[in-house]
Amino acid sequence: MRGINSSGSQINGVSGIAWRLQNDVLTLALTLSLYPVLSPGRRWYEVLLGHLPLGTGANNDLYINQAVVFIEDAIQYRSINHRVDSKSLWLYRWYYSRTCQWILSLTITLILALAFIEKPSSLTVTSDVRYRLPAWNPPCGLTESIELFCFLVFMVDVSVKSYLIGWEEFWKNKWLMAYILTLIVSITDWVVSLSFFCAEDVRIRRILRPFFLLQNSSMMKKTLKSINSTLPEMASVVLLLAVHLSLFTMFAMLLFARTKDGQQEKEWVRYFRNLPDSLTSLLVLLTTANNPDVMIPAYSKNRAYSIFFILFTVLGNLFLMNLLTAIIYNQFRGYLLKSVQSSLFRRRLGIRAAFEVLSSLKETPANAEQSHVSVGALLQVLQKVEMDSRCKQAIMRSLKMCSCDQLSAAQFQKLFEELDKDAIKQHPPSPEYQSRFMQKMQFAFGHPYFGYLGNVVALANIVSICVVLVLDADKQPSERDDFFLGAINCFFILYYVLEMLLKVLAMGLRRYLSYPSNRFDGLLTVILLILEIATFAEYGFPHPGWRPEFVGLLSLWDMVRLVNMLIVFRFLRIIPNMKFMALVVTTLLDLVKNLRAFAGILVVVFYAFAITGIMLFKGAVVPLGNVSAVNATYDNGTLQCGTYEQLEYWPNNFDDFAAAVVTLWDVMVVNNWQVFLEAFSRYSSPWTKIYFVAWWLISSVIWVNLFVALLLENFIHKWDRRCHREPLSDIEYQRTVELMFRDVLEEPTEEELMDKLHQHPHLQLCR
């Protein structure tokens, strides 16, 4: 129970108490009127509101609103360390409303998407420097106006966040301070850009844009913190890799030094001419991208040279690189569990905070040993709380079944354990037919074997289409006879329509649509039927010699054949019937749905490197004949095999944002990434290799290994739990990442919760 001992003059009798109450009210009114001009660092305003005499209507409303916000914080796993006065609570709920969060997300998406349209624009059909037409570039001030709008939204965002957590907490929050610094630098750069009439090439604010995405995700911040803690261990392995690479580079330069032997000189000329080339060749070999090309010239002379390359690959790729993966996995082994444990503590703390403020409504002596919350007060709170209707209804049912009028802390907490349970989707019941014939029809066409028959027919459909495509692959369009394909399409589409109608008859429309696989099949069937009718209307019915004309990019007939190929996804329905395959697939789906933070970090890194690449290499790649540097790729009038020009990698460049992203993706995959290293070293500078090696380290080494570690953590944990779980045909469990580890989480103790609540900067408890 919350309260404060007031000091003042001693007044006797009822009139003295009335005068004292009136004086307190006047003091509160004066405080409310003066607060907007006072420093936000003074928290006595909240303390005063939190310590009004109990029993007043305004104070009861405040406690109810505090409980509502604390429960909503618990639902969303948010921190409760924010202001709790009435005005701040209204502002807090407004800020975290769907509308405000949607506007903030849209603003972040908008400012990130500007990279596609601002100069250099990506609005061209191709990025190939040989065929690309001049792109449309927005006039000066257009994208800058959009940026200004985004900056204004971010300024409101950081102002509200800073106010809600309080002045003292603000100085402890490094992310908010970095947020403000980023805004200051971005706005300054925006002003400089306008002063140069948008003609400057280097715009620092573009590189800083991903920060707005990063600071808006608590999970991304936690992931970065874990990566930062892993850096010392990773640095030791990277240093060992550097030593390994340096030693073998020295050996290679001695082993493949320039000689009079023409065959051995090929190895020197292509791969080990100097120290930078030697380091690059072996670094690429570490990723196996140039294996066995780098070995062939020396291996052609003497098979013993293969020992050097095999030894380098075994030590570097099989041992050291996998050791790096093991270190990252060891660091993140339990990382997801720790994060979920922290989220559980936040949820329990929010629920307990709601209980504490609601217990202040109970008119009991201040020295009561146990606090209770009335059921009526909780019902008032539930009416205002924004939460899933399923959870709210379940809590309401539990309250109705409860015979008591007061709830203890344990009972209150147990009610909200409904938030931790699986989301269960119950399929609607099938229709009940009175006719015996209809009952037999329902049994036959609602049986799983009828679905298996549909899978077999879909397989026959796919096989027939593939056979026809293989037979017609070498034929000219005028030589093809599409009569057979047209006829079998009619048959399969009619079967799909009949199958859909019979399933609707057996299951009922609502139950049929409750299954995602049925919705997908039904949508495909309707699309196929519409396209087939349109085909007959345009080209007539199939007959020998029937050849629908090719019109535009895809004729109507080609569209029908492409949609037919989508039927292959019907086979995904058999996965739940295969126990271990279902485990693998559900693990992957849970991982994809719940690990958005890691995808967000990849977007941040991609964006920053793409903008940096545009600043460094924009316009560097030019078609053949326009720059003298490309002469190095000629050999007696022909292009050297394996070069950027010979492989026609012209679309891979940094002339616009979209092209830069694709180029970085190709380098991340590390297949032929040595081509990019060599080409951009010629077109720009040998120092460009540092950029590509840094990208390889961050994307392929750190991020990919991080994803592998989390995948292993998730899969290993779920393997024993799910392989013994019996599937229920009519119930679908929709799990979140928090629920995956529910059975191994530790519940916070009473002492831990109360200790944390007593540390709340804006909420003071007296018990």
Side-chain angles (χ1 to χ4, degrees), residues 585-632:
V585 172
T586 52
T587 301
L588 292 175
L589 291 178
D590 285 338
L591 201 66
V592 170
K593 287 187 298 183
N594 296 291
L595 297 184
R596 293 175 295 178
F598 301 95
I601 290 178
L602 187 62
V603 169
V604 168
V605 176
F606 256 101
Y607 199 99
F609 267 85
I611 295 296
T612 305
I614 292 173
M615 293 180 180
L616 295 175
F617 311 122
K618 179 180 176 295
V621 176
V622 294
L624 285 175
N626 294 353
V627 66
S628 59
V630 298
N631 293 333

Side-chain angles (χ1 to χ4, degrees), residues 334-362:
Y335 155 72
L336 204 56
L337 177 60
K338 292 178 183 177
S339 176
V340 175
Q341 183 70 55
S342 174
S343 298
L344 178 67
F345 184 84
R346 281 191 172 190
R347 172 166 285 181
R348 296 292 182 262
L349 185 64
I351 298 300
R352 186 53 187 261
F355 174 83
E356 291 298 325
V357 295
L358 286 179
S359 65
S360 300
L361 296 172
K362 187 173 184 295

Side-chain angles (χ1 to χ4, degrees), residues 7 62 150 171 186 274 304 330 344 352 385 470 510 519 599 718 733:
S7 62
L62 174 63
C150 296
W171 289 108
S186 298
N274 50 47
N330 183 64
L344 178 67
R352 186 53 187 261
V385 170
V470 169
R510 291 182 59 228
R519 293 197 297 268
K718 291 179 65 178
Y733 288 86

Side-chain angles (χ1 to χ4, degrees), residues 21 38 61 100 153 243 274 284 287 410 418 433 449 482 493 556 558 686-687 717 742:
L21 179 60
L38 295 177
D61 290 341
C100 286
V153 173
V243 172
N274 50 47
V284 174
T287 64
E418 191 69 32
Y433 295 107
Y449 286 162
D482 293 324
I493 291 174
L556 198 59
D558 290 320
W687 294 101
H717 178 79
R742 186 66 189 89

